[in-house]
């Protein structure tokens, strides 16, 4: 396969595995590269991809999927020294593939992300604590590496001081993998029609709306994390100490 972007890491079976470090922060620092990765389902790892994954030195995997998705699609292969955390942050299941073409993606997905932000407080707080601990290199992933993974990555980048435009741009990179994610869905669901024409897309407006409305409701991403999720400033300071360089 050819790389989708300079941030994407080459795998045969993973289509949305990428580094979400390297961004500049508003105060002139930079998020470290090679420490924070995001991906579609690591249950797809097999063959040479297992060797490629091991070469990254990943120490921690945070799996954001439902238990039913793990049972159907598998989880990251066991490896000595690899910590695995299952934190299902989404509490209201929905089937994107079966939505009608009349459903507009920006408003629909921003509303789903807001539900996750409201419902998944315990799991989101746990994920941020794990990331702030000495657990990198690490990978966040869900099924496509776009929605649930995109939400957590956006929180992390925002807490690290990355400007909103770059947080949104990082989210939108998942759109480069849309064609391959759709092909995967069709392989796994033979005989079922894929109805929603926006399945697997990542319009920048989704994250723009979500972040703006989160700030409108809670004051800022940091206020949401400290006041609603109950993650103390000390953990945010640890996150910044671990992942920022001058």
């Amino acid at each position: 396969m050819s790389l989708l972007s300079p941030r994407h890491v080459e795998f045969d079976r993973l289509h949305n595995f990428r580094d979400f470090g390297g961004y500049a922060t508003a105060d002139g620092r930079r998020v470290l590269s090679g420490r924070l990765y995001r991906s579609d389902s690591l249950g797809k790892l097999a063959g040479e991809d297992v060797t490629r994954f091991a070469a990254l030195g990943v120490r921690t995997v945070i799996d954001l999927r439902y238990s039913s998705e793990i049972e159907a699609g598998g989880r990251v292969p066991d490896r000595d020294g690899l910590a695995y955390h299952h934190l299902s942050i989404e509490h209201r299941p929905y089937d994107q593939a079966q939505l009608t073409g009349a459903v507009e993606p920006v408003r629909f997905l921003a509303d789903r992300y807001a539900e996750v932000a409201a419902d998944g407080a315990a799991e989101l707080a746990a994920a941020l604590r794990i990331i702030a601990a000495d657990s990198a290199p690490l990978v966040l992933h869900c099924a496509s590496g776009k929605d649930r993974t995109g939400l957590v990555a956006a929180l992390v980048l925002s807490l690290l001081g990355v400007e909103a435009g770059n947080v949104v741009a990082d989210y939108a990179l998942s759109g480069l993998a849309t064609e391959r994610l759709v092909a995967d869905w069709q392989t796994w669901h033979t005989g079922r029609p894929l109805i929603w024409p926006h399945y697997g897309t990542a319009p920048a407006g989704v994250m723009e709306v979500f972040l703006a409305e989160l700030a409108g409701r809670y004051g800022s991403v940091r206020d949401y994390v400290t006041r609603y999720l109950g993650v103390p400033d000390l953990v945010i300071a640890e996150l910044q100490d671990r992942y920022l360089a001058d």
Side-chain angles (χ1 to χ4, degrees):
M1 64 168 284
S2 59
L3 292 180
L4 300 174
S5 78
R7 292 186 168 276
H8 281 84
V9 180
E10 185 169 356
F11 287 95
D12 292 330
R13 294 169 57 87
L14 302 180
H15 311 309
N16 200 18
F17 191 108
R18 63 186 196 266
D19 190 331
F20 67 102
Y23 291 105
T25 63
D27 64 1
R29 291 184 287 178
R30 185 167 293 277
V31 182
L32 293 170
S33 298
R35 305 289 301 282
L36 297 167
Y37 296 101
R38 49 182 297 171
S39 181
D40 44 332
S41 172
L42 296 182
K44 295 186 286 186
L45 282 171
E48 292 184 7
D49 277 354
V50 175
T51 302
R52 295 183 180 108
F53 180 75
L56 295 173
V58 172
R59 296 173 56 195
T60 305
V61 168
I62 300 176
D63 188 339
L64 304 171
R65 295 175 297 164
Y66 288 101
S67 295
S68 59
E69 292 175 288
I70 297 171
E71 291 169 5
R75 47 154 283 184
V76 64
D78 285 325
R79 194 184 78 233
D80 288 345
L82 182 66
Y84 173 80
H85 303 271
H86 175 214
L87 298 169
S88 181
I89 62 173
E90 189 176 85
H91 292 226
R92 305 186 212 185
Y94 63 100
D95 190 349
Q96 284 191 27
Q98 301 306 302
L99 298 173
T100 70
V103 176
E104 192 276 326
V106 171
R107 183 72 268 166
F108 179 82
L109 290 175
D111 286 345
R112 302 293 77 72
Y113 296 3
E115 290 173 354
V116 173
D119 299 343
E123 295 85 359
L124 288 167
L128 291 174
R129 289 176 181 274
I130 292 165
I131 296 166
D134 187 14
S135 56
L138 63 85
V139 183
L140 314 168
H141 83 91
C142 52
S144 296
K146 177 176 77 77
D147 299 313
R148 289 164 288 187
T149 299
L151 190 158
V152 177
L155 294 181
V156 171
L157 291 176
S158 297
L159 292 173
L160 291 174
V162 175
E163 293 182 311
N166 282 332
V167 176
V168 170
D170 183 79
Y171 166 81
L173 283 175
S174 286
L176 298 175
T178 297
E179 183 177 347
R180 294 170 183 181
L181 295 172
V182 167
D184 269 359
W185 189 94
Q186 292 171 329
T187 297
W188 302 328
H189 300 89
T190 53
R192 281 185 68 197
L194 177 58
I195 298 172
W196 198 36
H198 304 290
Y199 180 86
T201 63
V206 176
M207 188 54 66
E208 290 173 344
V209 170
F210 169 69
L211 290 176
E213 292 182 351
L214 191 76
R217 173 169 294 187
Y218 298 100
S220 67
V221 171
R222 187 178 185 121
D223 287 340
Y224 161 74
V225 168
T226 56
R227 297 176 184 175
Y228 188 79
L229 299 187
V231 175
D233 288 327
L234 177 62
V235 171
I236 297 174
E238 290 173 348
L239 186 77
Q240 294 173 343
D241 286 344
R242 295 206 188 280
Y243 296 106
L244 293 180
D246 294 330

